[in-house]
Amino acid sequence: MSIALIKPEPTLWVARFGDELYRFALGRVSDEACAEELVQDTLLSALDALASFRGEASERTWLFLILRRKIIDHYRRQARHPEVSLAVVTPDGPTEADFFQEDNGHWRREQYPTSWQSADGALEQQELQQTLRTCQDKLPSQHAAVFVLRFVEELTAEEICKELSLTSSNYWVIIHRAKLQLRRCLEKHGLGRAA
């Protein structure tokens, strides 16, 4: 039994998949221009690799795989040029030890984040997403890269260490610092624990 291969139609990619690719990218990077550039790079790479398209997956799936790789490459480049945030080195405010257990790195019970859901859940969820994006943009580039790859792209710790050339211990330090910085930022925006 022979399976008919579907011939890709690059002239229709933008019309068929452009908006969806853009929304996917925008949900993973910090600004619109970067998302647009990632989608453009994805389409150009797909065009260059058109001869290698075997039709084992749909065009859509193939394009999203390329875009996902472009996003990981974007964060890998950012992680190679880390910026030191003053928030990381200033001694003011709580430290990691105030929020996380030393033995296993999990949240301390009394500091565990509370649920932000309420009767106005949808509106609050939208505000939370906007605030989280604002806070995420304030992370140093390497922290942001690790955070997005772990919690948005859902890569494993091993995959992230390999992609960003990190040691396991360095990865865990970055994760904890990113969580702590995000928590501080969210609390500054009124999304802290109830008194």
Side-chain angles (χ1 to χ4, degrees):
M1 177 179 226
S2 174
I3 298 174
L5 296 178
I6 298 171
K7 184 177 177 187
E9 299 180 72
T11 57
L12 301 177
W13 286 347
V14 173
R16 286 183 180 166
F17 313 114
D19 290 343
E20 195 176 2
L21 289 166
Y22 174 73
R23 283 191 305 273
F24 183 84
L26 189 58
R28 285 151 177 81
V29 296
S30 60
D31 65 59
E32 294 175 2
C34 183
E36 289 173 1
E37 187 174 324
L38 286 167
V39 171
Q40 184 178 24
D41 287 349
T42 296
L43 295 174
L44 289 173
S45 291
L47 212 60
D48 288 343
L50 196 56
S52 70
F53 180 75
R54 297 186 304 260
E56 294 171 357
S58 69
E59 283 178 274
R60 180 186 176 280
T61 300
W62 184 58
L63 291 171
F64 272 91
L65 288 171
I66 295 170
L67 177 57
R68 188 166 188 253
R69 189 79 223 158
K70 294 289 181 186
I71 291 167
I72 291 170
D73 290 344
H74 165 76
Y75 280 111
R76 182 185 302 129
R77 282 189 304 274
Q78 276 195 336
R80 287 188 184 135
H81 304 290
E83 299 170 14
V84 177
S85 169
L86 293 177
V88 175
V89 295
T90 57
D92 302 342
T95 65
E96 278 184 61
D98 295 325
F99 292 105
F100 303 107
Q101 298 173 25
E102 189 174 321
D103 58 336
N104 61 15
H106 294 280
W107 289 101
R108 292 187 179 281
R109 181 169 299 218
E110 65 277 7
Q111 294 295 339
Y112 195 81
T114 58
S115 173
W116 288 308
Q117 289 293 339
S118 72
D120 297 322
L123 180 58
E124 286 184 2
Q125 192 68 359
Q126 183 180 2
E127 289 174 12
L128 170 62
Q129 291 295 327
Q130 290 171 342
T131 303
L132 184 58
R133 172 66 58 130
T134 299
C135 292
Q136 187 179 321
D137 290 345
K138 293 179 182 179
L139 289 174
S141 57
Q142 188 176 46
H143 289 59
V146 171
F147 181 81
V148 169
L149 292 176
R150 177 66 188 106
F151 297 107
V152 178
E153 289 301 315
E154 299 180 345
L155 297 182
T156 65
E158 294 79 22
E159 290 171 320
I160 295 169
C161 288
K162 183 179 176 185
E163 290 290 339
L164 301 180
S165 301
L166 299 173
T167 64
S168 178
S169 59
N170 192 9
Y171 164 81
W172 289 108
V173 167
I174 291 169
I175 283 290
H176 286 294
R177 287 183 180 168
K179 286 179 184 178
L180 185 61
Q181 287 177 280
L182 287 171
R183 181 173 181 149
R184 284 181 187 155
C185 182
L186 290 170
E187 286 174 344
K188 285 180 184 178
H189 285 89
L191 295 173
R193 295 183 63 84

